[in-house]
Amino acid sequence: MGPSGTEPQPQEGIWTEASSTKFYQAILALSQKLQSKSPESPKDYRSTLCNRTDESAYALSYEEELHLADHFAFLAHAVPDDPAYSRLFTEVVKLSQMRIYRRLRTSQSKGSSHISVKAPVHAKVAENLTGIWSQTPQSLPDITNLRTDLLSLNTALVAVDSGSSDNQIELLKAAILKSHMVGNRGESKSLAARLEHLGFNKSKCQRREVQEIDKLSKYWQICIDLIRLSRQPQTRPLCKNLTLEVCVAPPRTMPIGSTERCSVHGEVQLILFYERYPKAPPPRAIGSSKAACLLCDLFVGYHGRYGLSHSHMKPYSRWTIPECRWATDSQREGLRGIVDAMTTKLRSYQQKGQQAFYHHVPFAESRAHVLLL
């Protein structure tokens, strides 16, 4: 009760009736105009440097922090002889086992009827990748090596699909290691990059099975990076006594002006978590297992304190920010300013001609991030 015996008034939220109506009118109109296109080409923020301040307060470089954040986000969805690698690798695979099955669309996956009608990844690899051949004699040896690697990988993928339940962890580990080997040859850090280096067209490099192989490879790369950080004197303390803080997703809502129930995307959840529970020094990177959408990219950009790896820039109208009734007056005004800036930007996109729009690439949301240091 308040001092006068009355109930305290609830804090104002982020949205007003006017701002919500304007925002959702803008994103719905833009989505209808774009159809399958995006207002801008996908963005690769890994290739640009952020504005670093007080770098001495951090044990990790910004690039490594961003890479590690993506690793943790990747695991959240879910061999060298060194025993440390083996133990960590086993735990990573156990943690992500069902997620990996769904990625591979294997018969081992349970309760995923929405993907049961699709061919498993090993079938798509056999159909579209193992038969690739060189158009020029100069690249013939490299193509031969690639085909050998792909055939070996496909044998491992088939073994996962048809293997017994008693040996699945080891079969998955073998398939993951083969995936990593396929992508990490020479200067290439992914299968997509290796195919591109060999001169294959974009449609081949961006096939769904290529994306899934690169993501499968990442389960081993996570182990390599975590072990490396745990053995470097300057970063070893960061790898001790790790704890998990869970961000509970707000319920879906139907904002004023929207015709659909909207969700709070992971990037927004993380930023608002650190707004509410600030850390010192604050994190600089927002990790994600996928590229960010257009609205998340705009939100992160206008917020200005965090970096992302990639944005596919595709608009999703079922996007929102929670009311954040915990926010201070300053935070609330800042978030309202971000919404206003986003609305203005969405309207500016609507003024562009159709020829200026970027045609959305299938599976652009799914990116396997690599660290190039």
Side-chain angles (χ1 to χ4, degrees):
M1 301 290 284
S4 61
T6 60
E7 290 289 341
Q9 294 297 311
Q11 286 283 95
E12 288 186 75
I14 300 303
W15 298 97
T16 64
E17 182 175 350
S19 68
S20 186
T21 300
K22 291 177 182 177
F23 179 85
Y24 287 102
Q25 284 178 345
I27 185 58
L28 288 171
L30 179 63
S31 297
Q32 291 170 0
K33 183 174 182 178
L34 289 173
Q35 297 180 4
S36 63
K37 298 180 180 179
S38 300
E40 295 186 43
S41 61
K43 296 181 179 180
D44 179 4
Y45 293 112
R46 291 277 184 125
S47 61
T48 60
L49 299 178
C50 74
N51 182 22
R52 299 178 181 83
T53 58
D54 194 19
E55 187 76 15
S56 62
Y58 298 89
L60 295 173
S61 69
Y62 171 74
E63 290 86 351
E64 286 194 309
E65 182 181 334
L66 180 60
H67 192 62
L68 195 59
D70 285 336
H71 274 337
F72 287 135
F74 191 77
L75 285 178
H77 276 285
V79 180
D81 294 332
D82 190 325
Y85 282 93
S86 180
R87 291 197 304 272
L88 179 59
F89 193 21
T90 298
E91 293 305 315
V92 165
V93 174
K94 285 181 177 178
L95 178 65
S96 309
Q97 186 172 0
M98 295 311 298
R99 177 72 172 177
I100 296 171
Y101 285 153
R102 289 192 290 271
R103 288 192 185 285
L104 298 180
R105 300 195 289 274
T106 76
S107 59
Q108 308 291 342
S109 181
K110 309 297 181 185
S112 299
S113 58
H114 66 289
I115 62 172
S116 61
V117 297
K118 297 182 180 179
V121 168
H122 69 75
K124 303 303 290 184
V125 171
E127 177 184 350
N128 298 309
L129 295 179
T130 56
I132 58 176
W133 202 249
S134 174
Q135 300 297 318
T136 62
Q138 292 83 356
S139 62
L140 182 58
D142 292 333
I143 296 293
T144 301
N145 290 335
L146 174 59
R147 290 184 72 246
T148 299
D149 289 344
L150 287 168
L151 287 168
S152 179
L153 166 62
N154 217 42
T155 299
L157 294 175
V158 171
V160 171
D161 199 16
S162 59
S164 69
S165 58
D166 296 337
N167 200 32
Q168 279 297 306
I169 296 298
E170 293 305 314
L171 292 173
L172 285 170
K173 288 166 67 174
I176 290 167
L177 289 172
K178 294 289 186 182
S179 297
H180 192 269
M181 181 181 68
V182 166
N184 288 262
R185 289 287 195 184
E187 297 182 358
S188 298
K189 299 296 183 181
S190 67
L191 176 56
R194 188 176 178 185
L195 289 168
E196 184 178 358
H197 177 73
L198 291 173
F200 289 96
N201 59 35
K202 184 175 292 187
S203 63
K204 179 72 74 175
C205 299
Q206 294 178 342
R207 291 196 63 87
R208 180 61 177 265
E209 53 270 23
V210 173
Q211 300 284 343
E212 295 297 357
I213 289 170
D214 282 339
K215 285 219 163 186
L216 194 62
S217 166
K218 192 173 179 182
Y219 290 103
W220 175 238
Q221 190 62 48
I222 289 171
C223 300
I224 294 173
D225 290 335
L226 289 177
I227 292 292
R228 174 177 56 82
L229 291 172
S230 72
R231 290 177 172 175
Q232 293 176 172
Q234 68 272 28
T235 55
R236 185 179 300 144
L238 301 178
C239 301
K240 296 180 179 179
N241 303 318
L242 296 176
T243 58
L244 178 66
E245 294 181 87
V246 178
C247 294
V248 179
R252 293 196 302 162
T253 59
M254 179 81 81
I256 296 173
S258 176
T259 59
E260 305 167 288
R261 295 182 67 81
C262 299
S263 302
V264 182
H265 288 197
E267 294 89 338
V268 177
Q269 291 181 45
L270 285 172
I271 288 178
L272 295 180
F273 179 86
Y274 286 116
E275 283 277 347
R276 190 173 187 180
Y277 306 106
K279 306 291 182 181
R284 298 165 294 176
I286 296 297
S288 178
S289 62
K290 295 183 177 181
C293 71
L294 170 67
L295 295 180
C296 282
D297 183 86
L298 293 177
F299 181 82
V300 173
Y302 286 125
H303 187 276
R305 298 179 195 167
Y306 302 96
L308 293 167
S309 286
H310 297 95
S311 296
H312 57 72
M313 301 302 287
K314 185 176 180 180
Y316 292 120
S317 58
R318 291 182 292 182
W319 182 100
T320 195
I321 305 171
E323 286 289 7
C324 303
R325 299 191 186 279
W326 46 263
T328 65
D329 290 345
S330 175
Q331 289 174 319
R332 181 166 52 253
E333 290 308 308
L335 291 169
R336 285 179 173 178
I338 291 173
V339 170
D340 290 342
M342 291 175 67
T343 302
T344 300
K345 186 66 173 179
L346 293 173
R347 287 175 170 172
S348 73
Y349 284 140
Q350 294 180 47
Q351 307 306 315
K352 296 170 66 174
Q354 287 286 346
Q355 70 279 2
F357 292 145
Y358 178 86
H359 193 277
H360 180 60
V361 177
F363 318 124
E365 297 96 325
S366 182
R367 293 289 300 268
H369 309 302
V370 295
L371 181 62
L372 303 176
L373 289 179

